[in-house]
Amino acid sequence: MKKYIAILFACVSFCACEDFLTQENPNKIESEYYFKDESSLEIYANGLTRSFATGIKNFVNGDKNADTHAWDGAAAYFKDNYSASDASNWGTSNWSQLRSINFYLDNMRKADAPEAVLNHYEGVGRFFRALFYYAKVRTFGAVPWYEKSIEATDQEALFKDRDNREYVCRKILADLDYACTYCSTAASYRNQASYIHRYVALALKARFCLYEGTMRKYHTLDPSTGRPWQSDESAMYLGECVKACEAIIGDGVYHLTDNAADRRTQYRAMFIESNATTTYANEIIWARNYDSELNVTHYMNSYFINQQYANYAFTRQFINTYLMTDGTPFTDKYPDYDSVDFTTECSGRDYRLAQTIRTPGFTRDGGTTQWAPDVTFSKTGYQPIKWLTDDSSKDTNTSKCDNDVPLMRYAEVLLNYAEAKAELNEMSEEVWNKTIKPLRERAGVTSIYPTTADPYMVEYFQNQVTDPFILEVRRERGIELTMENVRYDDIIRWHQGELFARPWKGIWIAASETPIDLNGDGVNDCIVTSDPNNKSPLKILFIDGASEAGHKLSQGTSGNILPATAIERKWHDYKYVKPIPTTALQENPNLTQNPEW
C-alpha cells in the first residue's frame, strides 16, 4: 500500500488587502514556536506539498483550452467580452499560500536540527516560493515580490505596486538555485514521490528557465509593460535550463521505462497505474499520490466517458503530427492527409497515438469489451484514453479511481534539455541521441536525425519557425506530454497565441446519413446526420441546422468534422498575460494594470 501524506494545513479566509499577507493562522501550526525539530519541519513541508501538488482534474484540464483540443464550449478568456472584472487568482486565498511559505522560511531555522537538515528544509521552502511565483508570473507577468512575512503596520509593503517581471524572475531563479544546491538527494527524501528533493528542484528550474528563456526569445516586448525587455537574458535562462537538465541526466538516477515487448502499452500504463509512483520510480520525479485504501481517490474516468463532460477531444491538426513508425511524417505519406479515413490514419503510427486516443481495436476490461470513439462525447472523433483506466466499472461520477499523477517526469527533462539546446543552436546528434531518439524508440518509432524542416510543422506553427530541430522537439513535446498541463504554457511562450483561436477540425466522414464503423469490428458505431429527427440507436453527431453548436462537415454532406463553429474564439496579443482583477486594483490603487486591459 502506498504511504499517503496527509496533514491538517489550514488556510485562512481573509477579507482585506492588509489581511492576506499578515493575518496569523489560528491553527497553532503557524506559531513561531511550532518549529522545534526535524519532525516539525517535515510536517509543515508536507502541508505545503498538499497545498501545491496539483490534483488530477486541474492537471488534465490544463491542456483543455490549448491548440490540441476541441470541446463543446469556449473558455471566456478567448471571447472578446472578457475583462479585468472576470479575472481571478489574485484573491486572498491565493496570496495566503505565499504567507504560509514566508512564515515557514522566517521561522524554520529555530528548529533543533543539523545544519544540513536545516539547509534542506530551507531549500524546500524556497522551492515552493519559486513554484508559487512561477505560476503568478505565467498568469500576470509582473507581480509584487515578497520574501518575508509582512506586518499589518507595513502599509508601504502591503500597498506597493508590482515589481518588474525581470526582477521577480531573477528572484525565482535565486530561490531555485538555493534549492538545487541544498536540497538533499538522500533516499530518505526520495522514497516518496510527493517529497521535495534536489531532483524535483532541478526539474522545476529546468521548466522555469526554458519558459522564461523562450518567452524572452519569441516575445520582443515584455507583455507586462508593452515595452522592450530591459536586458537580453534569453540565452542566460536557456543556459541555466541546460545546466539543470545535465545535472539530472548526469547523475543517472532516472531513466525511461522501455521494454521493447511492451511498446504498444507501456506509455499509457504510466498514467493508469494505481501505484505508478513505485512502479515508475525510475521515471517519475514528483507526483500526486492517490490511494483507494486510504480513500484518497478521484473520478476522472467519468470525464472521459460521460456526455455531460463533453470537454475532451483532440483536433486533427494535432493528430496529424504523430509520425509513422518508420519515422517519416504521416503528412508526407498521404498528400491528402486530412481526407484519409479514420482506420487508415490510425494504421502504422507512433504507438503513443493508440495509447492516447481510441483507435480501432481499443479494448477495456481485460480485452473483453471494444470501445469505439463516441462522437456524442468527442465531437472531432478523437477521444482521449490516456488517463482512462481499463476498469469500466469506475466510469461513474461516484467511482473511486486511484491512478497517480506524475507532476514531473524524466521525459520532460529530456525534452526541456533538447529544446534549450536547439534554441541555443547547440543541437547535435549526440544531444538528439540521448533525448529525442529514446523517446521515439520507446514509442516504436524509428529515430531519424532531421536535416530539413517538415513543411507541415512549419505551417502548423504559422511559418514562424523553420529550424528542423526546434520543430521536431516541438512535435515530440506535444505528443509525449499531451494532457499533462504544459501545452497552454508552451503556446504562450512560443508566441503562438493565434493557435488558440484556430478553427477545430476532426475525422473524415465519407458521407453523412450513412452508418460508420469506427473501430473496425464490422459493427457500425455512429452516424453523422443533419436530420434532427434521426432516432438511430447508433451514436449520433448532429450537424448543420440540427446542431445548435454549429457542428458541420467541411464539404457539406462529407468531409472533416468541423465542431462548434457557432462558438467564436478570438486572440489578441495582450492576452499573453491575464489582467489584474478589478477587485485587486480597487483594494490597492498603487497596482498597475497590464497593457490594453
Side-chain angles (χ1 to χ4, degrees):
M1 179 181 72
K2 296 178 297 188
K3 180 180 178 184
Y4 187 83
I5 308 283
I7 185 174
L8 176 61
F9 187 76
C11 284
V12 192
S13 296
F14 305 99
C15 59
C17 181
E18 59 264 37
D19 285 345
F20 64 69
L21 288 170
T22 63
Q23 184 169 328
E24 183 172 337
N25 193 323
N27 187 323
K28 294 304 182 184
I29 198 170
E30 293 219 355
S31 163
E32 61 180 306
Y33 304 108
Y34 174 79
F35 300 102
K36 296 179 179 180
D37 51 25
E38 182 176 357
S39 177
S40 60
L41 296 174
E42 179 183 7
I43 290 172
Y44 201 105
N46 288 339
L48 293 174
T49 296
R50 289 290 300 124
S51 179
F52 281 92
T54 310
I56 188 169
K57 185 173 184 295
N58 289 335
F59 188 76
V60 175
N61 269 346
D63 278 357
K64 187 176 71 173
N65 292 309
D67 61 305
T68 54
H69 283 65
W71 55 293
D72 282 0
Y77 193 65
F78 299 112
K79 298 180 179 179
D80 272 350
N81 60 356
Y82 187 91
S83 71
S85 298
D86 302 304
S88 59
N89 292 320
W90 198 281
T92 54
S93 61
N94 302 112
W95 286 98
S96 66
Q97 291 181 315
L98 177 62
R99 184 199 177 279
S100 294
I101 296 168
N102 282 339
F103 178 89
Y104 167 84
L105 288 169
D106 289 345
N107 293 282
M108 50 81 54
R109 285 191 172 269
K110 296 174 183 177
D112 182 11
E115 186 67 16
V117 171
L118 293 173
N119 289 341
H120 166 78
Y121 279 105
E122 180 176 345
V124 170
R126 293 180 72 163
F127 167 88
F128 281 115
R129 186 165 63 195
L131 186 63
F132 172 88
Y133 269 110
Y134 176 35
K136 281 286 181 279
V137 165
R138 294 199 314 276
T139 305
F140 301 109
V143 290
W145 174 267
Y146 297 99
E147 59 186 30
K148 297 288 183 184
S149 298
I150 307 301
E151 299 296 330
T153 56
D154 191 349
Q155 298 294 294
E156 181 179 354
L158 289 168
F159 291 95
K160 73 175 186 176
D161 192 7
R162 301 183 294 161
D163 288 298
N164 179 275
R165 175 188 180 131
E166 291 164 287
Y167 169 79
V168 173
C169 286
R170 286 191 290 270
K171 299 294 280 187
I172 293 172
L173 183 58
D175 272 352
L176 288 171
D177 280 339
Y178 186 96
C180 292
T181 300
Y182 291 105
C183 281
S184 176
T185 59
S188 58
Y189 296 116
R190 292 193 291 108
N191 64 0
Q192 292 290 330
S194 59
Y195 287 0
I196 305 303
H197 48 77
R198 181 170 182 255
Y199 297 114
V200 179
L202 285 166
L204 180 61
K205 178 181 176 181
R207 181 185 290 182
F208 163 70
C209 288
L210 180 65
Y211 184 93
E212 200 61 19
T214 49
M215 191 79 184
R216 308 292 180 90
K217 178 176 180 177
Y218 290 106
H219 294 252
T220 58
L221 304 179
D222 178 349
S224 298
T225 64
R227 298 187 296 272
W229 301 97
Q230 293 183 350
S231 57
D232 183 2
E233 295 181 315
S234 174
M236 182 275 287
Y237 279 107
L238 291 171
E240 289 298 313
C241 172
V242 167
K243 291 177 185 176
C245 293
E246 287 178 339
I248 298 174
I249 296 169
D251 278 7
V253 173
Y254 298 97
H255 63 271
L256 297 179
T257 301
D258 185 16
N259 184 334
D262 297 329
R263 285 177 171 170
R264 293 182 181 272
T265 59
Q266 63 189 2
Y267 171 74
R268 176 168 168 255
M270 209 175 349
F271 306 100
I272 62 173
E273 169 63 51
S274 63
N275 201 25
T277 56
T278 299
T279 305
Y280 299 97
N282 59 284
E283 182 160 354
I284 295 175
I285 299 173
W286 192 35
R288 175 94 177 209
N289 291 340
Y290 289 90
D291 193 326
S292 57
E293 293 184 36
L294 295 176
N295 203 31
V296 183
T297 59
H298 56 82
Y299 51 94
M300 279 305 293
N301 271 16
S302 182
Y303 282 85
F304 301 112
I305 294 291
N306 294 332
Q307 293 180 29
Q308 70 187 92
Y309 303 120
N311 294 342
Y312 295 96
F314 287 102
T315 65
R316 183 156 197 147
Q317 294 97 321
F318 172 62
I319 297 298
N320 285 342
T321 67
Y322 283 74
L323 296 170
M324 306 301 295
T325 53
D326 65 6
T328 60
F330 166 77
T331 49
D332 282 357
K333 183 176 179 65
Y334 299 100
D336 56 343
Y337 48 81
D338 274 344
S339 60
V340 174
D341 68 86
F342 183 68
T343 300
T344 302
E345 72 167 314
C346 292
S347 177
R349 304 288 290 276
D350 181 327
Y351 291 159
R352 286 170 296 189
L353 179 62
Q355 297 174 74
T356 302
I357 64 169
R358 295 187 187 186
T359 56
F362 172 62
T363 63
R364 300 176 72 200
D365 304 312
T368 61
T369 53
Q370 296 233 16
W371 293 74
D374 181 356
V375 295
T376 65
F377 178 90
S378 292
K379 302 302 190 296
T380 63
Y382 301 112
Q383 186 166 359
I385 61 168
K386 178 170 174 173
W387 295 94
L388 178 71
T389 71
D390 282 336
D391 184 356
S392 66
S393 70
K394 296 182 177 181
D395 289 351
T396 70
N397 60 10
T398 59
S399 299
K400 295 182 178 180
C401 301
D402 62 355
N403 39 324
D404 294 333
V405 183
L407 301 175
M408 293 179 178
R409 57 190 183 93
Y410 187 59
E412 184 195 346
V413 173
L414 296 180
L415 289 164
N416 290 346
Y417 182 55
E419 184 176 349
K421 295 291 275 186
E423 292 288 0
L424 289 167
N425 199 29
E426 295 176 2
M427 176 59 81
S428 66
E429 197 158 2
E430 178 185 5
V431 173
W432 178 273
N433 287 345
K434 66 181 178 183
T435 56
I436 306 303
K437 180 179 179 180
L439 286 166
R440 290 191 173 170
E441 288 180 343
R442 178 168 74 166
V445 177
T446 301
S447 172
I448 299 175
Y449 188 68
T451 55
T452 58
D454 177 359
Y456 182 83
M457 297 302 293
V458 173
E459 182 182 7
Y460 188 104
F461 290 109
Q462 306 179 91
N463 299 298
Q464 295 177 15
V465 177
T466 57
D467 184 292
F469 300 117
I470 293 175
L471 290 171
E472 289 307 311
V473 172
R474 289 187 182 184
R475 183 205 302 272
E476 193 64 24
R477 183 177 180 88
I479 292 167
E480 178 69 24
L481 300 179
T482 190
M483 302 186 83
E484 293 186 51
N485 200 25
V486 297
R487 183 67 174 196
Y488 181 92
D489 291 336
D490 286 349
I491 297 304
I492 292 291
R493 63 189 178 86
W494 292 334
H495 203 272
Q496 292 285 321
E498 292 82 3
L499 297 184
F500 293 132
R502 182 177 58 186
W504 295 322
K505 189 182 295 185
I507 65 173
W508 178 265
I509 302 297
S512 63
E513 320 303 332
T514 304
I516 306 169
D517 174 14
L518 285 178
N519 66 348
D521 65 353
V523 178
N524 290 323
D525 309 300
C526 70
I527 187 169
V528 176
T529 178
S530 60
D531 178 6
N533 297 314
N534 191 308
K535 304 298 183 183
S536 170
L538 303 176
K539 301 292 185 181
I540 300 175
L541 175 63
F542 289 106
I543 60 170
D544 299 323
S547 166
E548 183 178 344
H551 306 315
K552 299 179 182 295
L553 294 181
S554 60
Q555 297 181 13
T557 59
S558 66
N560 295 108
I561 296 173
L562 304 178
T565 62
I567 299 172
E568 187 175 22
R569 291 170 290 121
K570 292 186 177 180
W571 180 258
H572 305 282
D573 274 4
Y574 62 80
K575 292 187 176 183
Y576 281 113
V577 287
K578 294 183 179 178
I580 310 302
T582 300
T583 52
L585 297 171
Q586 291 170 341
E587 285 188 353
N588 181 2
N590 293 319
L591 285 177
T592 53
Q593 181 60 280
N594 283 321
E596 298 189 55
W597 284 108

